[in-house]
């Protein structure tokens, strides 16, 4: 796996054609919808996407939090973010903030209701450090979801491993990442695997205030 600088340079290079390349990586809208659904977002929420790239999840996130909510997208690649900014401009969203930063050193002065890592847990060299950086900002009861694709636990591993090696040149990542293990210290991890390739791992931050018995 290349270092951070090489990873960012490669995502800068592929940014203009990231959308066209997505089918090669078998990235489906279904997977994006499931990743966002795992966040349990409500209207008015503030959600952070770590490694937001060209903003392919923004339509789902903006839809989930509504006009009264806020979506923050952080990425280290200026060109990936430039593509996201074009989408924000085209759609006229005024509640999306794009921040260029290394997620492991992100200074965020906001309270968060949810945090999404979509296809980025396996790319960021130290994703646990990135999560630790914003964990204190997440409210009790708020969720972290990691949507990614990998070959660690699929019976198709022998077929997919050589393909993954080739695709890694285009979009570097760790197809053998194990976020379900990495996330265990943060809380109970629920993992949903689908299509033999995808997974969504979700953790709910402990300490949510008890609802009174009469409340819905
Ligand atoms: C495969 S792309 C995923 C983009 C988007 N989340 C999606 O679902 O299409 C991974 C992204 O992680 C970003 N990334 C890698 N290391 C990072 C870091 N340390 N901090 C912030 N973003 C990072 C890359 O620049 C790239 O845009």
């Amino acid at each position: 796996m290349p270092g951070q600088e090489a990873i960012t340079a490669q995502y800068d290079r592929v940014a203009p054609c990231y959308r066209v390349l997505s089918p090669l990586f078998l990235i489906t809208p279904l997977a994006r919808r499931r990743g966002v659904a795992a966040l349990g977002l409500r209207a008015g929420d503030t959600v952070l996407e770590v490694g937001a790239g060209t903003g392919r999840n923004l339509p789902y996130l903006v839809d989930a939090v509504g006009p009264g909510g806020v979506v923050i997208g952080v990425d280290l690649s200026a060109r990936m973010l430039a593509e996201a900014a074009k989408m924000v401009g085209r759609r006229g969203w005024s509640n999306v903030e794009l921040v260029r930063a290394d997620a492991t050193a992100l200074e965020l002065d906001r309270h968060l209701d949810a945090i999404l890592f979509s296809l980025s847990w396996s790319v960021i060299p130290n994703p646990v450090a990135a999560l630790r950086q914003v964990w204190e900002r997440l409210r009790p009861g708020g969720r972290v979801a990691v949507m990614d694709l990998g070959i660690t636990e699929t019976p198709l591993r022998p077929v997919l491993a050589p393909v993954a090696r080739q695709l890694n040149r285009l979009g570097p990542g760790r197809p053998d990442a194990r976020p379900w293990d990495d996330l265990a210290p943060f809380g109970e991890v629920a993992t949903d695997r689908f299509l033999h390739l995808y997974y969504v791992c979700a953790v709910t931050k402990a300490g949510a205030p008890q609802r009174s018995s009469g409340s819905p």
Side-chain angles (χ1 to χ4, degrees):
M1 177 79 178
Q4 179 72 74
E5 225 173 279
I7 291 169
T8 305
Q10 179 58 13
Y11 278 101
D12 271 340
R13 269 192 292 275
V14 299
C17 43
Y18 184 80
R19 185 176 180 181
V20 183
L21 291 176
S22 292
L24 253 186
F25 287 82
L26 305 175
I27 301 166
T28 68
L30 167 78
R32 296 194 182 282
R33 272 194 228 105
R34 279 169 90 143
V36 172
L39 297 170
L41 290 168
R42 297 171 300 192
D45 276 355
T46 298
V47 58
L48 169 70
E49 182 176 356
V50 179
T54 59
R56 308 283 292 145
N57 293 301
L58 291 179
Y60 308 102
L61 294 170
V62 169
D63 190 49
V65 302
V70 176
V71 179
I72 306 166
V74 172
D75 204 285
L76 192 47
S77 157
R79 290 206 174 154
M80 292 291 274
L81 274 188
E83 295 298 317
K86 284 185 207 165
M87 181 190 291
V88 172
R90 271 196 312 270
R91 307 261 183 139
W93 290 320
S94 55
N95 60 342
V96 176
E97 299 171 17
L98 299 174
V99 181
R100 183 172 177 241
D102 182 338
T104 61
L106 178 67
E107 297 292 338
L108 197 65
D109 186 17
R110 299 293 278 269
H111 290 291
L112 300 172
D113 296 292
I115 301 170
L116 175 66
F117 290 76
S118 162
L119 307 168
S120 60
W121 192 270
S122 60
V123 173
I124 297 170
N126 189 346
V128 172
L131 178 54
R132 284 202 193 291
Q133 190 69 14
V134 286
W135 181 250
E136 288 308 315
R137 295 275 151 211
L138 183 65
R139 69 165 166 83
R143 290 204 196 147
V144 177
V146 174
M147 186 281 279
D148 221 316
L149 64 167
I151 56 171
T152 319
E153 309 235 331
T154 169
L156 303 179
R157 187 183 169 92
V159 183
L160 293 174
V163 180
R165 270 197 295 278
Q166 294 308 318
L167 291 177
N168 239 330
R169 294 168 191 224
L170 274 176
R174 299 177 305 279
D176 53 354
R178 303 180 67 87
W180 45 90
D181 290 340
D182 302 336
L183 289 171
F186 294 88
E188 196 175 327
V189 185
T191 304
D192 170 24
R193 293 192 170 81
F194 51 106
L195 302 179
H196 289 302
L197 197 57
Y198 290 99
Y199 52 81
V200 176
C201 299
V203 166
T204 303
K205 188 169 178 176
Q210 297 286 315
R211 288 175 192 261
S212 65
S213 53
S215 64

